[in-house]
Amino acid sequence: MKAIETRDALLEEAADFLVICYTELEKNEQELEDRLEAVTKEIEATGTYHHTFEELEHGAKMAWRNNNRCIGRLFWNSLTVFDERGQKTAEGAFEALVNHIDFATNKGKIRPAITVFPAAHDGEDEMRIWNHQLIRYAGYEKDGKVVGDSSSIEFTKQCEQLGWEGEGTHFDILPIVIQVKGQEPRYFELPEESVMEVEITHPDFEGFKELDAKWYAVPIISEMKLEIGGIHYTMAPFNGWYMGTEIGARNLADEDRYDLLPAVAEAIGADTSSNRTLWKDRALVELNVAVLESFNEAGVTIVDHHTAAKQFSSFEKKRGGSWTRCYWQLGLAHSADVTGHNAYFP
């Protein structure tokens, strides 16, 4: 009985998705009826079904559009979808991930993209990525202090247990760890030429150069699950581009991350003798200015939070029309195999 109930639930989700998808793609009624009939037969025979590329592509775009945690959804229809559902090996998957990074980076002119790998089968992942993001800095505990990104400490230890060795700097690029079902996890180091980084300087304060701070150009979230019409793609790394505050007000500023505000305050000559001087506020603003200006000077796409808010307002106005009826049909959520971090779209 449980298997029948599961198939009925999947068929219902598939039908809901296909009706919305084919309507938005302006397919005729006969095409929809034929597809629903084919999917029904496939689910009854196998317990699952396979999306066409057109369904996968539009479904992924819908998932970005429907993700209520993302402020950058105005650009949902510009998403490029790479279909790697036939991938079987860790080596092949890594090559596809490097291709994703290269395409998305685009010499700084960031392009939104998602790479979709095999769907989960019978509740088990066919392959998975251990990383929170494809590009991320390592974190080390040394003599009671943190070197690098504190949010990466546990994952860095896991990489070291697999045999990886970092240089021990504040900005070591972590390897990508891929695990194929039934096999041991393997790590792969990213080609240096594929990782674009931006040195953080300030147009008015020379002291910023002494911070030796930098950040990578593209945030590619790799621990989220894509669900389309009841099918779960648990390995589907996605990227947009950065909003400046993600780097300047969080990654580089938070006390439990890189904690640069005291050093920034010194660089700008702020009075840190008392909280009442609001030195942290001044430092935070100038750090965010530095991030935005540095990315702009490097030719790397980034958006400030005021512009992003206006873009989201435009998206909301559009969503209030024809999109409302499919808003909750599918979305992106945490992969069941991921622990530790909260994942946000840029």
Side-chain angles (χ1 to χ4, degrees):
M1 180 65 71
K2 185 176 181 180
I4 295 176
E5 291 175 352
T6 300
R7 293 187 181 192
D8 287 344
L10 177 57
L11 181 57
E12 182 178 354
E13 290 190 55
D16 286 344
F17 163 69
L18 290 170
V19 168
I20 295 168
C21 179
Y22 276 52
T23 299
E24 293 190 359
L25 292 175
E26 299 182 345
K27 302 285 188 179
N28 61 49
E29 290 187 15
Q30 189 60 53
E31 288 179 289
L32 174 59
E33 290 179 7
D34 290 346
R35 182 61 176 144
L36 287 171
E37 181 179 356
V39 167
T40 299
K41 290 180 178 179
E42 189 175 1
I43 291 174
E44 289 176 346
T46 67
T48 189
Y49 73 103
H50 300 272
H51 293 118
T52 66
F53 176 75
E54 190 173 31
E55 292 163 2
L56 180 73
E57 181 179 48
H58 194 67
K61 291 179 178 181
M62 289 171 66
W64 184 11
R65 187 181 74 196
N66 296 347
N67 187 291
N68 62 3
R69 300 177 71 181
C70 177
I71 195 173
R73 289 180 277 162
L74 177 64
F75 306 99
W76 65 274
N77 206 30
S78 67
L79 182 68
T80 295
V81 179
F82 294 108
D83 185 359
E84 293 288 342
R85 289 176 293 173
Q87 196 58 251
K88 301 294 184 183
T89 68
E91 294 90 348
F94 176 68
E95 182 178 346
L97 295 176
V98 173
N99 288 338
H100 181 139
I101 293 171
D102 291 342
F103 174 88
T105 303
N106 191 31
K107 298 181 179 179
K109 306 301 181 184
I110 310 302
R111 295 181 286 200
I114 186 169
T115 300
V116 184
F117 290 90
H121 183 66
D122 291 334
E124 295 186 3
D125 297 346
E126 294 299 310
M127 58 174 61
R128 53 172 279 191
I129 301 170
W130 283 24
N131 306 58
H132 165 57
Q133 295 185 24
L134 295 187
I135 302 171
R136 195 73 162 179
Y137 295 121
Y140 311 92
E141 292 176 313
K142 296 183 179 181
D143 301 323
K145 296 182 179 180
V146 174
V147 175
D149 194 338
S150 60
S151 70
S152 297
I153 289 175
E154 291 305 315
F155 181 60
T156 301
K157 290 179 180 178
Q158 291 177 329
C159 292
E160 290 174 332
Q161 290 173 0
L162 293 175
W164 177 77
E165 294 184 8
E167 295 181 5
T169 75
H170 283 291
F171 298 100
D172 289 355
I173 299 294
L174 285 162
I176 292 179
V177 178
I178 300 171
Q179 184 171 17
V180 176
K181 185 173 72 174
Q183 300 178 18
E184 293 297 313
R186 297 176 56 189
Y187 75 87
F188 299 84
E189 296 205 43
L190 287 168
E192 185 176 338
E193 63 272 16
S194 291
V195 181
M196 187 175 188
E197 297 174 282
V198 177
E199 302 289 337
I200 306 301
T201 60
H202 196 289
D204 301 319
F205 298 101
E206 287 290 323
F208 264 73
K209 293 180 180 179
E210 299 178 10
L211 300 178
D212 291 326
K214 60 182 176 179
W215 206 256
Y216 49 91
V218 192
I220 308 176
I221 303 296
S222 54
E223 67 172 4
M224 300 183 81
K225 176 180 70 176
L226 170 65
E227 180 184 349
I228 302 175
I231 301 299
H232 297 257
Y233 299 102
T234 51
M235 183 164 155
F238 163 92
N239 75 277
W241 48 75
Y242 267 120
M243 182 167 68
T245 49
E246 294 181 280
I247 303 169
R250 188 175 69 194
N251 300 341
L252 294 178
D254 282 354
E255 291 183 358
D256 61 351
R257 296 291 297 284
Y258 277 81
D259 193 24
L260 288 187
L261 292 188
V264 170
E266 182 177 351
I268 66 176
D271 178 5
T272 60
S273 62
S274 169
N275 285 334
R276 294 184 63 182
T277 67
L278 302 184
W279 66 269
K280 289 184 180 180
D281 303 71
R282 289 184 58 198
L284 187 64
V285 169
E286 297 302 344
L287 180 54
N288 277 275
V289 168
V291 168
L292 290 171
E293 289 297 319
S294 298
F295 269 64
N296 183 61
E297 284 295 312
V300 177
T301 305
I302 196 168
V303 63
D304 65 87
H305 55 287
H306 298 292
T307 300
K310 289 182 179 179
Q311 291 171 346
F312 183 71
S313 178
S314 297
F315 167 81
E316 284 286 276
K317 291 177 182 178
K318 291 183 179 181
R319 186 182 66 87
S322 61
W323 296 349
T324 304
R325 61 196 177 91
C326 65
Y327 186 67
W328 292 111
Q329 290 302 318
L330 67 158
L332 285 154
H334 290 291
S335 171
D337 289 319
V338 177
T339 59
H341 303 292
N342 288 323
Y344 301 92
F345 279 118

